[in-house]
Amino acid sequence: MKQTLSLVLVAPVLLFLVSCKKAEAPKPAAAPAAATTAPRVPANAPPGVPGAPAAAKPMPPQIPDVLARVNGEKIERWEFDNAVKRMEARAGGPVPPDKRDEVLRGVLDQLVAYHLLAQESRARKLPVADADVDARLADIRKSFATEDAFKQGIAAQGLTLDQLKSQAKTSLEVAKVIDSEVNSKVTVQDPEVKTFYDSNLDRFKQGDSVHAAHILIGVPQNAPPEQKAEAKTKAAAVLKTIKAGGDFATLARANSSDSGSAQNGGDLGFFPKGQMTPAFEAAAFKLKPGTVSPLVETPFGFHIIKVIERRAPRTAPFAEVSGQIKDFLLQGQREQKLEQFVEQVKAKGKVEILV
């Protein structure tokens, strides 16, 4: 499940979107050197040793109303708090106290980059139409059963409707400048894909895997109990329809909050153990082909899972994973070019960190 839930549709593009999969690298996982943006440092490297990561500067216990200024534009607490909530939703829990400084500094750094890119987009006069912003908000509303549930979801994220609209517009601005300066300049040739596969066969060894589909009735993080209960009731009604003979794919297209799979009838393809959230994985691997699970709750909401097929351990053939490898290598290039572009924009701007 790649894209998802409600309000995260307008999350800054630099903050990865909510996903039930832990990573979408070519199966199974390690990143190629091309996607690495910093040298690897041994976990036990002592302070002061060249290459050892510097300790994060402490964040104040009480976050101020303004955390930074980017070319005079404020990064305010509401935006920072919302970004932290999205990050916690992806992680499935709150920031560990011993990682607080490191994580919060990382969120602030990403917001600085986000503002720089939005400003660059405006400077290049890359327009975002009001109709596009309205369409983005309409997509978010579709994740909620009612207008009241939508408003409660916004409130649970610590946002007002105006702030949500502002985030939607800025997100579209950032996407435009990234498309122009980054996405249009990345390319991977077929021989590079085959070379990566041949050099990394161990990465494509798979254990037991299942081919499954799901329907997700999403629940935003920190949603009030009544909204969670409403989502569960909706999920139970969908499950009842399936048990009465309703078509799973049709119901997924009509009801699932997981936009990445809903258009495909909820189909997630094959996945091995270790790629889904624990509760989802446990339920999927217990099912026999052709059967449907009861409601399964995860940090993303309530799932109905259907297992289509099971597969024994194997090495995935090149033809099956070549598209994923190409996407992965393209993403590595994008990350490098985006980092370089952000540094270029930052070099000509004025960033004031106030915490």
Side-chain angles (χ1 to χ4, degrees):
M1 286 163 277
K2 284 190 177 179
Q3 308 265 107
T4 60
L5 300 182
S6 58
L7 304 178
V8 293
L9 289 172
V10 296
V13 290
L14 298 181
L15 300 172
F16 296 109
L17 296 181
V18 170
S19 171
C20 287
K21 289 190 178 182
K22 294 179 181 177
E24 196 60 29
K27 312 205 183 307
T36 302
T37 57
R40 296 185 181 274
V41 178
N44 59 352
V49 172
K57 180 182 177 182
M59 289 290 282
Q62 182 68 30
I63 301 299
D65 291 338
V66 178
L67 291 88
R69 291 190 181 90
V70 181
N71 294 316
E73 185 175 277
K74 297 176 182 177
I75 295 180
E76 298 181 294
R77 179 176 175 175
W78 69 265
E79 182 182 7
F80 178 79
D81 287 347
N82 181 246
V84 172
K85 285 183 178 181
R86 289 195 304 271
M87 182 276 301
E88 290 178 330
R90 290 191 302 275
V95 177
D98 63 331
K99 296 290 185 181
R100 180 177 183 270
D101 295 330
E102 177 185 351
V103 171
L104 297 192
R105 287 287 169 195
V107 171
L108 182 56
D109 286 346
Q110 290 190 323
L111 287 174
V112 166
Y114 182 61
H115 278 255
L116 285 166
L117 291 174
Q119 291 171 1
E120 183 69 13
S121 184
R122 294 191 288 268
R124 296 185 182 204
K125 302 188 185 304
L126 301 174
V128 171
D130 289 343
D132 292 335
V133 178
D134 292 340
R136 179 64 65 92
L137 292 176
D139 283 342
I140 298 169
R141 278 189 170 91
K142 290 177 184 177
S143 298
F144 298 89
T146 66
E147 184 67 15
D148 283 344
F150 169 63
K151 291 177 180 178
Q152 290 172 2
I154 294 174
Q157 292 284 319
L159 296 174
T160 66
L161 183 57
D162 285 343
Q163 288 168 342
L164 182 64
K165 189 171 184 177
S166 174
Q167 281 194 345
K169 182 174 183 179
T170 306
S171 177
L172 291 169
E173 289 172 337
V174 172
K176 282 207 167 190
V177 77
I178 289 177
D179 280 341
S180 173
E181 188 64 28
V182 176
N183 294 342
S184 65
K185 299 180 181 180
V186 299
T187 182
V188 172
Q189 302 300 322
D190 290 343
E192 297 175 72
V193 178
K194 187 63 165 65
T195 297
F196 181 85
Y197 177 81
D198 290 340
S199 302
N200 296 275
L201 285 176
D202 283 349
R203 300 188 183 194
F204 302 99
K205 290 181 179 178
Q206 300 173 345
D208 291 326
S209 58
V210 296
H211 179 190
H214 84 136
I215 298 170
L216 169 65
I217 307 302
V219 180
Q221 188 190 30
N222 299 325
E226 56 270 24
Q227 184 179 353
K228 187 174 181 179
E230 183 179 10
K232 187 174 183 179
T233 299
K234 179 180 178 181
V238 174
L239 179 59
K240 184 177 180 180
T241 302
I242 293 170
K243 289 182 175 180
D247 181 69
F248 192 98
T250 300
L251 289 165
R253 293 187 189 98
N255 296 281
S256 183
S257 301
D258 179 15
S259 59
S261 68
Q263 60 187 351
N264 298 320
D267 196 341
L268 298 168
F270 277 95
F271 55 88
K273 291 182 178 180
Q275 286 200 355
M276 297 293 184
T277 55
F280 188 100
E281 178 181 290
F285 277 87
K286 285 180 181 177
L287 293 173
K288 295 180 179 179
T291 61
V292 175
S293 72
L295 297 186
V296 177
E297 184 176 358
T298 75
F300 307 104
F302 297 95
H303 308 256
I304 303 166
I305 305 169
K306 179 179 181 179
V307 166
I308 300 164
E309 185 181 353
R310 300 192 69 137
R311 193 161 58 193
R314 63 170 193 154
T315 297
F318 175 72
E320 184 178 302
V321 297
S322 60
Q324 295 174 20
I325 295 172
K326 187 171 185 177
D327 288 345
F328 184 61
L329 296 176
L330 285 169
Q331 183 60 26
Q333 284 193 29
R334 289 189 193 99
E335 290 173 1
Q336 282 192 324
K337 289 184 181 295
L338 179 57
E339 183 180 4
Q340 293 166 0
F341 182 45
V342 169
E343 290 303 315
Q344 292 170 10
V345 176
K346 188 180 293 186
K348 64 181 182 181
K350 182 180 180 181
V351 176
E352 301 170 89
I353 303 297
L354 306 178
V355 291

